[in-house]
């Protein structure tokens, strides 16, 4: 029962200076609390609600920026991939790969990502039961890669809404693999803004505390210096200014669960 | 932010000696942990899946037993009512009344129960959103009774299953009224046994910890010396033997949330 | 496979003249199409979202009006009951009783209503699976009354929304009892107006056609001369002016299903 | 309001002789009823629950077989694509392309498929509301291809279950694009067999009739000479022997809806 770690960062790479600066500030916050963390940011948003939405800086520049973040800030980095042909390039740069929830059932894709040999965070589809992740996991470990984490990000609950079934966390943990709780996508309201998803940032702390209280390996949390000005996922990202007290509280709960005090 | 309290006891009054003995044992457990609690047990199960299921000792004997539990064990008692004509008798004996989830929208019934002047625990219907409890609450307080608690016990999630949306707890707490989390009915599987509901006792600790981590006033938990031999709700009740460590853990989480350590 | 019949009328009895006039107009419409029907109207709305909502003329006057409708218009009448003490009085007047969806699991209530000996339309709870209605049905027929119909009115689908699972209609029909499709409550949006339910009148025709195409015994449909001025359920009632073409279309589909042409 | 057409065929291409024989038999059935149809079969099942499941004959052989079916049986053919690199090859052979439900939000993929210029059947994700298909449609038509159909195949309803919300059919039809109802995937029970999805073949007729009664352009239906021996989707495919009476009944309902008799 290792202490809780975090996967955190802005939804999308908004530029080189932005990435370096946000990573530095997050590094200070997490170092101040003595918490392990991984920097997360996307080079491409491949499944936005609308084709007109901002997508990102692209693969080549994105990877170059992430490499620089890793080297200069000294933090491991994670990004998500969307297609098989991206995997080799991304795996050369990042410390952990992530697969999108909608793609969790694409056998070739999951096996291609797992086959790259780096740790992988597999997001559970909004349409999948927690126990069905065993089949997804089996596909991934069949490639010989055992460093696979399973990530909860909410399940479809009627239209335009997600619900987190906290039973899913221990169910997935029973596989023996680390379970990650994605606290910020779990509060998305899919399609709620017509041509973009809405979000309920105000529920991130309650859901994150709840998930940590069930006992998880990591919390995934998108965070931004000014979420309301972010080009994507603004409604559900946590402002930097609110991060430290929340992380501290989650640490305390994690200690109660894993160390009994 | 008062410390967490518990509403606990066997689902149904199985007899006088049984009620006195279970209340005494629970009193020891809770006293040992320094936790406030209320004894809960039902005199009638009025909405069982099947008409052939065990229903209980009935109103007169049930109230007599609850009064004796209260006097001899020295613990406040709670029971649920199902019809307006029961309310006056029950309110004379118990310290807190409870209304069933299926009946949360029956205006006359809710106002009759609230009108008795005792504190009331109103269970949220499995078909209701957390914000719709404001209307239910308004009906209750319109009687002049402000001691109304709101209780989460899971929402319909497809067939034969409930899900606890942890966002509902802070949403209901925003009314200013105490929020109770019913940890054992939330793991019921409605109708799962054909002519009775099933349950997933193994998820009670995870859900209770999660709910307490969001910040609640009380946890409701049905508990039994030998759940597998209980005449009702066996699959979801917590064995007495597992109660103390769980309550202790919930206390610790509650302290983190309410006192910061 | 008897031809499709209708249960139709305004949600609530708005007054004596109103009831007589609406029943007469509906009688003309249904007679013109050669379709059997029952007049439905409520004397009390006992489970409105808010305690401030209009409730109706009450039991005594309501029954008196329904008796007059029956005698003067020559149509069988149906109304819903909410409490055991109403049953005997109501059963003396109406041709068919109806029980509310929220109350489908109250054993004593269901048995009291069925025990009155008149045909009963039992609405399925929004929280119940279609196969769980077997248990409800068993409670009712245990009273010796075999004239029990089962009624679909939508299932909880996330918050503030209902979905009709058309599989439920043949599942309930497999009991051998008549299945009624409630086309207007199935399009309610529970709680959507804050202190009242909303509705999507525009989907009544599509859902009614779909249900009839699966093969049902009856369609329940609330209808009103001017739904937008109705004191309750306006958003989901069908205007009188749109009734005849819809009923005719449903008749045609019913003939294809039951007679092959 | 063109008469109802069908997209029909075995889930997967089991071999050359099998494909030719099934297409010939289906051609006879549909010709006998005077109904337009398209032959559907997959060359690869890319998102099976388990990596050990049968996947198909592969791209090259599959396309060769489909071309032969088209030429020798004289029926237009449809198949589904899973990755951008397959699109050009597939589009050269088939008359209509289809995209998988899980992939409906992948912007590049949807635009690549639509960009091939052939008609496309886009399946709605199990996690998407019907009105969110407007955004998906907008991505597709932005490529200059206006021949886009939208397909309903059920929405997530709790775990291991799908529900068809019939309101979704008119909602999608309001875009002006043809709506297809997938009657056989809508009765799948995702993950119900542990490492494969289950299905409820017995509900295909009721759901298909219901959908046609709302008014749709086409019904998609997987069908097989002996579903219980099929390498995939057996539990939800319709046996050839039951096809003709069902198609005939659907035709009759379609006529009532579109021609008023």
């Amino acid at each position: 029962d290792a202490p809780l770690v975090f996967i955190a960062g802005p939804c999308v790479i908004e530029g080189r200076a932005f990435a370096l600066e946000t990573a530095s500030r997050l590094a200070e916050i997490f170092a101040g609390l003595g918490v392990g963390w991984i920097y997360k940011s996307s080079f491409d948003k491949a499944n936005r609600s609308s084709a007109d939405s901002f997508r990102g800086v692209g693969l080549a520049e994105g990877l170059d920026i992430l490499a620089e973040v890793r080297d200069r800030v000294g933090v491991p980095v994670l990004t998500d991939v969307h297609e098989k042909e991206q995997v080799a390039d991304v795996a050369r740069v990042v410390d952990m790969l992530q697969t999108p929830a909608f793609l969790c059932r694409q056998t070739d894709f999951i096996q291609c990502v797992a086959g790259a040999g780096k740790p992988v965070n597999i997001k559970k589809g909004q349409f999948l039961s927690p126990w069905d992740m065993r089949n997804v996991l089996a596909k991934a470990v069949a490639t010989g890669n055992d460093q696979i984490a399973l990530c909860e990000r909410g399940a479809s609950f009627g239209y335009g809404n997600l619900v987190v079934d906290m039973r899913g966390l221990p169910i997935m943990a029973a596989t023996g693999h680390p379970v990650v709780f994605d606290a910020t996508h779990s509060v998305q309201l899919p399609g709620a803004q017509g041509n973009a998803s809405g979000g309920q940032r105000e529920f991130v702390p309650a859901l994150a505390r709840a998930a940590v209280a069930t006992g998880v390996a990591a919390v995934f949390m998108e965070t931004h210096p000014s979420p309301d000005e972010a080009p994507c996922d603004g409604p559900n990202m946590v402002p930097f200014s609110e991060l430290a007290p929340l992380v501290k509280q989650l640490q305390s709960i994690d200690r109660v669960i894993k160390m009994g005090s």
Side-chain angles (χ1 to χ4, degrees), chain A:
Chain A
D1 274 357
L4 187 68
V5 297
F6 286 78
I7 302 171
C11 175
V12 67
I13 301 171
E14 298 180 26
R16 188 174 301 262
F18 173 84
L20 285 163
E21 190 195 306
T22 53
S24 300
R25 288 180 56 187
L26 291 172
E28 273 175 54
I29 292 171
F30 286 110
L33 297 165
V35 181
W37 76 294
I38 303 175
Y39 183 75
K40 183 270 165 180
S41 213
S42 297
F43 58 82
D44 182 25
K45 308 303 295 176
N47 55 17
R48 299 298 303 269
S49 296
S50 162
D52 298 331
S53 305
F54 177 76
R55 291 193 43 166
V57 297
L59 179 69
E61 192 181 344
L63 290 179
D64 197 61
I65 292 172
L66 287 173
E68 191 170 341
V69 163
R70 193 165 87 125
D71 292 346
R72 292 186 43 186
V73 182
V75 60
V77 297
L78 168 150
T79 202
D80 46 339
V81 285
H82 311 277
E83 295 180 342
K84 288 187 297 181
E85 56 265 37
Q86 301 169 334
V87 174
D89 286 340
V90 175
R92 258 192 299 277
V93 169
V94 303
D95 299 277
M96 190 171 195
L97 292 151
Q98 182 170 285
T99 57
F102 292 150
L103 302 187
C104 72
R105 280 284 293 272
Q106 307 305 310
T107 306
D108 292 344
F109 174 69
I110 292 293
Q111 294 197 324
C112 175
V113 178
K118 288 281 175 77
V120 184
N121 184 30
I122 302 184
K123 294 202 171 183
K124 177 165 74 64
Q126 297 87 337
F127 46 83
L128 214 66
S129 67
W131 49 88
D132 283 338
M133 284 299 280
R134 282 177 312 191
N135 289 318
V136 174
L137 184 61
K139 290 177 184 177
V141 299
T143 66
N145 184 352
D146 201 46
Q147 300 185 79
I148 309 293
L150 304 177
C151 179
E152 168 67 34
R153 49 93 76 239
S156 290
F157 185 56
Y159 294 133
N161 195 12
L162 298 170
V163 70
V164 177
D165 179 358
M166 294 285 165
R167 293 172 301 179
L169 301 170
I171 289 172
M172 293 197 291
T175 61
H177 285 255
V179 170
V180 179
F181 177 63
D182 177 344
T184 47
H185 290 96
S186 292
V187 300
Q188 277 191 329
L189 300 177
Q193 305 188 340
N195 58 0
S197 291
Q200 299 178 309
R201 191 191 299 158
E202 65 273 26
F203 292 122
V204 170
L207 288 190
R209 294 194 310 247
V212 170
T214 70
V216 294
V219 167
F220 174 108
M221 203 179 277
E222 289 187 347
T223 180
H224 193 278
S226 323
D228 293 336
E229 294 160 29
C232 75
D233 282 37
N236 52 296
M237 282 196 282
V238 175
F240 274 19
S241 59
E242 299 175 11
L243 201 59
L246 175 55
V247 170
K248 210 175 157 202
Q249 200 180 31
L250 298 178
Q251 264 187 303
S252 300
I253 297 171
D254 187 60
R255 259 187 235 116
V256 169
I257 301 306
K258 294 181 183 158
M259 291 182 286
S261 73

